[in-house]
Amino acid sequence: MNADNLQKKLTFKNKVISQVEKFNRKHKAFSYLGLAYAVIAITCYNFLFYFYRNTKRFTALACIILFFAASSSFSYPAMSLNISFASNNTLDDTTYVEDVVISEAEVAESSAELAAPDGVDEEVLQEASEVVNPDAAEVENMVSFNDILAADDTETVISEEESVPLGNSSEHAFSSDDWKIILVNKQHPIPDDYSFNLGTISGSMQCDERVISPLKEMLKAARADGIGLIVCSPYRDIDRQTMLFSNKVNRYMGGGMSYMDAYNLASQAVTVPGSSEHQIGLAVDIITADYTSLDEGFGDTAAGKWLAQNSCKYGFILRYPQGKEEITSIEYEPWHFRYVGIDAATVITQNNICLEEFWNMYVE
């Protein structure tokens, strides 16, 4: 403390004491009030003087706290699982034919329905929950499944090592290095060194080339059983996934939600960029011409039931099953199927578990 500051402190203290002494001489019966005033005044002055003297130090500390508070808002917030998902998502009104594949039909995942908190515009929030899908139902890119098969030079068949369902899961060891069972979710983002070759399903639609053959076999088998399946939203690159996610966050924020609340809600409707199975070309969304909504009702359709029972025969699993929401952090999505290979798919389906549980129980 320099001489000027010390002098100011002493001057204030002496002034208070002098005032109290005068007050006590005139009002001896209330001298205790004067003493109380002196103690409070001097204590408050010393407290404020301390902060004044250390202004630079406290300013630096405040800047550090603000920096960490701001940077933490961009991290993945904790999931809140007590949110129900609505069934508002539908494709654009378009006439479909059986066994059609839609190019990049970004019907996206289901939208979330949340009671609007105080200060949030309910109308804007409702609008934010609806799918904004500029690429949905591109008529010029619709190709029948027959045309896809006709374009192939060789017939698609599943390799022999994956043609027989697993009898006893304990007899087979699953390696964490197997590309088919790679675990991708919010807690396990796509590894930086992960690579794969894209193959063309039809037109501009692509996925991991190793998945195309079993996918076509599944479509053929479904058609033979009278089920016409439509594949939409296969591979998405990081830019596409980021745009879908950012649009959802921005629209919720436009309804008056904070960034953290909007991020939390959006992450349960659109997968966080870098943790989407669509980005590694192993996931597809499946609907039918008769049921084009991406909602829980698809699971009750003939197509939804057929897929739940038979997709494992071709190496696919229902990725986000009902009753596993607390494990997957994603609501029930009966339209979202993921390729894991026949061996793993059989184990997962027969034991009624999700991929996360499979990893904990069977992967070495």
Side-chain angles (χ1 to χ4, degrees), residues 39-332:
V39 171
I40 294 173
I42 293 175
T43 300
C44 290
Y45 179 81
N46 289 340
F47 181 78
L48 295 174
F49 190 80
Y50 173 78
F51 280 95
Y52 168 74
R53 188 180 53 173
N54 296 277
T55 300
K56 293 182 179 180
R57 181 185 303 174
F58 286 109
T59 300
L61 180 61
C63 291
I64 293 174
I65 293 174
L66 288 174
F67 171 78
F68 281 106
S71 61
S72 65
S73 67
F74 292 96
S75 63
Y76 294 174
M79 294 298 302
S80 174
L81 297 174
N82 297 324
I83 299 178
S84 63
F85 280 65
S87 57
N88 296 332
N89 295 354
T90 59
L91 293 173
D92 291 349
D93 294 333
T94 308
T95 301
Y96 295 95
V97 296
E98 189 179 32
D99 296 325
V100 169
V101 184
I102 305 173
S103 175
E104 294 185 11
E106 301 294 351
V107 190
E109 290 90 352
S110 67
S111 295
E113 179 181 338
L114 182 67
D118 293 340
V120 176
D121 188 326
E122 293 189 22
E123 182 177 350
V124 177
L125 185 61
Q126 175 63 27
E127 180 185 356
S129 69
E130 297 174 353
V131 173
V132 178
N133 190 2
D135 294 330
E138 295 180 343
V139 179
E140 66 274 14
N141 290 324
M142 293 173 61
V143 182
S144 71
F145 185 60
N146 288 334
D147 291 339
I148 296 176
L149 293 180
D152 290 341
D153 294 329
T154 59
E155 185 163 345
T156 58
V157 293
I158 301 177
S159 61
E160 285 188 15
E161 69 250 19
E162 293 196 8
S163 61
V164 181
L166 211 62
N168 186 350
S169 60
S170 62
E171 297 176 356
H172 191 95
F174 296 93
S175 171
S176 59
D177 296 329
D178 189 346
W179 65 271
K180 295 188 294 295
I181 61 173
I182 181 174
L183 180 61
V184 174
N185 56 26
K186 295 180 181 70
Q187 293 74 37
H188 300 85
I190 302 169
D192 293 336
D193 59 350
Y194 184 81
S195 62
F196 62 97
N197 294 324
L198 283 171
T200 299
I201 301 174
S202 176
S204 61
M205 283 193 306
Q206 295 178 306
C207 66
D208 188 315
E209 63 179 6
R210 296 166 290 190
V211 177
I212 295 177
S213 177
L215 176 61
K216 291 179 179 179
E217 286 294 319
M218 184 169 69
L219 294 176
K220 288 170 61 179
R223 184 179 58 180
D225 289 341
I227 305 294
L229 300 179
I230 296 176
V231 176
C232 62
S233 198
Y235 169 74
R236 299 185 199 138
D237 61 23
I238 183 64
D239 293 335
R240 182 69 184 165
Q241 191 69 27
T242 300
M243 185 201 71
L244 291 172
F245 186 78
S246 297
N247 285 348
K248 186 70 76 171
V249 171
N250 291 336
R251 293 178 72 82
Y252 280 128
M253 291 179 66
M257 298 181 73
S258 67
Y259 174 79
M260 294 292 284
D261 289 338
Y263 190 112
N264 187 17
L265 187 56
S267 68
Q268 298 184 55
V270 180
T271 309
V272 175
S275 62
S276 171
E277 295 179 329
H278 287 287
Q279 290 178 239
I280 58 174
L282 297 180
V284 293
D285 294 339
I286 300 178
I287 55 175
T288 67
D290 297 327
Y291 199 98
T292 59
S293 299
L294 291 185
D295 57 33
E296 293 186 5
F298 179 75
D300 297 325
T301 65
K305 294 177 181 178
W306 188 93
L307 285 166
Q309 295 172 2
N310 297 282
S311 62
C312 64
K313 299 176 183 178
Y314 309 93
F316 290 86
I317 60 169
L318 176 59
R319 180 62 180 91
Y320 304 117
Q322 195 167 29
K324 303 294 184 179
E325 293 85 351
E326 291 188 1
I327 301 174
T328 64
S329 296
I330 298 292
E331 288 289 322
Y332 172 46

Side-chain angles (χ1 to χ4, degrees), residues 2-67:
N2 57 36
D4 290 340
N5 288 337
L6 180 60
Q7 183 61 39
K8 290 180 181 178
K9 191 172 182 179
L10 294 175
T11 299
F12 178 82
K13 182 177 179 180
N14 292 335
K15 185 183 296 184
V16 171
I17 293 175
S18 176
Q19 291 174 347
V20 170
E21 288 177 346
K22 291 180 181 179
F23 177 82
N24 289 345
R25 282 197 295 271
K26 292 182 180 180
H27 309 281
K28 293 182 179 181
F30 300 100
S31 59
Y32 63 90
L33 292 177
L35 292 174
Y37 165 76
V39 171
I40 294 173
I42 293 175
T43 300
C44 290
Y45 179 81
N46 289 340
F47 181 78
L48 295 174
F49 190 80
Y50 173 78
F51 280 95
Y52 168 74
R53 188 180 53 173
N54 296 277
T55 300
K56 293 182 179 180
R57 181 185 303 174
F58 286 109
T59 300
L61 180 61
C63 291
I64 293 174
I65 293 174
L66 288 174
F67 171 78

